[in-house]
Amino acid sequence: KEKGLYDKYRHVLETGEPIVIENSISHSIYGNQVNRIKVFKVGDGVGSATSNITELKNSIEMLSVLSHRISHDVRSPLANILGLADLALDEDTDPATMRNYCSLIKECAVSLTTTLKSISNTLRIHEESFTYTLIDFEKELHSVKDSLKYIEGYNSVTFSENIDPIKNFYFDQPLLHSILQNLLDNGIKYRKLDRQDCRIDIKISGEDNYAKIVIADNGIGIDKSFQKNVFKLFNRGTEQSTGTGVGLYLVRTGIMKTGGNISFESEAGVGTTFTIILPNKKMEANEIRSTEN
């Protein structure tokens, strides 16, 4: 009754008209499963035929991501490159102006390269093409921070780091980099512009079989009306969002596919805290090494 299925089944029973329903079931270990249920009348009751369409839905979502990335994030820099090249070729420009054109073209090319790497990572996540290597969390965090140094607002934020040593922890390094980069980027982007003490607190701890990452900020937070859709594809967590609505979807997808979990708590005007649990993939890494040997 809570999902509205009872009334739909009653309608089939009373009218004899079959219906098709898509129903999502969430499991703490196996993640989300999407079922397509055809409901029909059988005698004085109802019958159902159920198909698991999770992979189909995942494939459709992946195609949506690729289509979105190509139409928005690839087309724009390509158009800029072509436009700048036309200007450089058509005009009788001096060397200084030509160098400026080349600099702008390079900037667009770098942006395009970053997008193509992101698309490649999207495919890798959906295909579960993970490679598990030994992780140095402190080194990885500093690498992510270095990659964000030049974005607007980075120098306005104070970072607090508390990293416990976790020995022999194996995970997919590009996925971990993507997780940290997306969450820190959001913390910087959605800081409160009118406050002087913008902070992002990062705590990493764990045991032999898992790592726990907590990233908390004192930014604008996420209004309750947006929270239920935070991890959905193309969703934007705030009215101030300028992103594509893909980052957190990919972060959650990658985490769930490796058997981890991500959750958050947020209050508008107060801040947001993300908690990530990542499994230690040491066993899988050892199995791969044994196979190679």
Side-chain angles (χ1 to χ4, degrees):
K1 286 188 176 181
E2 291 177 356
K3 291 188 175 183
L5 296 179
Y6 178 82
D7 292 335
K8 293 178 180 179
Y9 278 51
R10 289 291 305 177
H11 179 77
V12 172
L13 189 62
E14 293 168 359
T15 66
E17 299 174 0
I19 59 171
V20 176
I21 305 167
E22 284 190 8
N23 184 36
S24 179
I25 300 173
S26 181
H27 193 282
S28 58
I29 297 176
Y30 302 110
N32 289 333
Q33 176 176 310
V34 183
N35 296 318
R36 179 169 290 161
I37 310 168
K38 184 173 182 180
V39 185
F40 44 87
K41 188 172 183 179
V42 180
D44 294 329
V46 292
S48 68
T50 305
S51 302
N52 184 342
I53 59 168
T54 308
E55 288 304 315
L56 173 62
K57 295 288 286 188
N58 288 341
S59 297
I60 292 172
E61 286 187 341
M62 183 188 70
L63 290 173
S64 297
V65 171
L66 295 180
S67 175
H68 184 83
R69 284 292 177 90
I70 291 170
S71 62
H72 290 78
D73 301 341
V74 173
R75 184 185 300 172
S76 179
L78 271 179
N80 289 339
I81 289 171
L82 292 173
L84 290 166
D86 286 340
L87 287 173
L89 291 170
D90 291 343
E91 296 180 5
D92 185 14
T93 55
D94 58 85
T97 304
M98 184 62 73
R99 280 196 298 272
N100 186 45
Y101 281 141
C102 290
S103 177
L104 292 171
I105 288 172
K106 181 180 179 180
E107 191 176 303
C108 293
V110 169
S111 173
L112 183 58
T113 300
T114 301
T115 297
L116 292 176
K117 285 182 179 178
S118 178
I119 290 174
S120 176
N121 193 42
T122 300
L123 287 169
R124 200 176 62 86
I125 288 173
H126 276 276
E127 293 171 357
E128 301 185 37
S129 301
F130 301 118
T131 301
Y132 301 119
T133 56
L134 186 63
I135 296 297
D136 182 333
F137 282 99
E138 188 170 0
K139 180 180 178 181
E140 197 61 43
L141 178 59
H142 291 164
S143 172
V144 169
K145 288 173 64 179
D146 283 341
S147 72
L148 297 172
K149 277 184 176 179
Y150 302 102
I151 71 170
E152 182 182 354
Y154 180 89
N155 293 323
S156 302
V157 175
T158 300
F159 293 89
S160 168
E161 301 171 16
N162 185 349
I163 305 175
D164 293 341
I166 308 174
K167 295 182 179 180
N168 297 319
F169 189 88
Y170 286 78
F171 199 70
D172 185 81
Q173 183 273 330
L175 176 57
L176 175 61
H177 188 94
S178 178
I179 293 167
L180 294 173
Q181 189 174 52
N182 270 282
L183 295 179
L184 292 186
D185 181 56
N186 282 350
I188 297 168
K189 188 182 299 179
Y190 302 120
R191 67 194 185 282
K192 293 186 76 173
L193 301 179
D194 59 348
R195 70 184 303 165
Q196 301 298 316
D197 61 336
C198 296
R199 294 179 57 84
I200 297 178
D201 299 323
I202 305 149
K203 180 175 175 55
I204 301 176
S205 59
E207 301 291 342
D208 289 339
N209 60 340
Y210 76 91
K212 180 179 180 181
I213 303 171
V214 180
I215 298 177
D217 65 62
N218 61 351
I220 62 175
I222 305 170
D223 190 86
K224 284 188 177 181
S225 61
F226 289 97
Q227 290 186 13
K228 65 179 180 179
N229 296 319
V230 158
F231 295 114
K232 287 189 176 180
L233 186 59
F234 304 135
N235 174 71
R236 295 179 178 184
T238 79
E239 293 178 349
Q240 296 175 222
S241 177
T242 57
T244 59
V246 172
L248 285 178
Y249 164 78
L250 288 177
V251 163
R252 183 182 182 277
T253 299
I255 290 172
M256 297 300 288
K257 282 183 178 288
T258 56
N261 186 54
I262 180 170
S263 60
F264 74 96
E265 294 180 357
S266 187
E267 184 177 344
V270 177
T272 303
T273 299
F274 281 93
T275 301
I276 303 102
I277 304 296
L278 301 179
N280 190 345
K281 294 295 185 176
K282 181 180 178 179
M283 185 178 297
E284 288 85 342
N286 287 340
E287 289 175 355
I288 292 172
R289 287 199 296 270
S290 298
T291 303
E292 290 174 348
N293 293 333

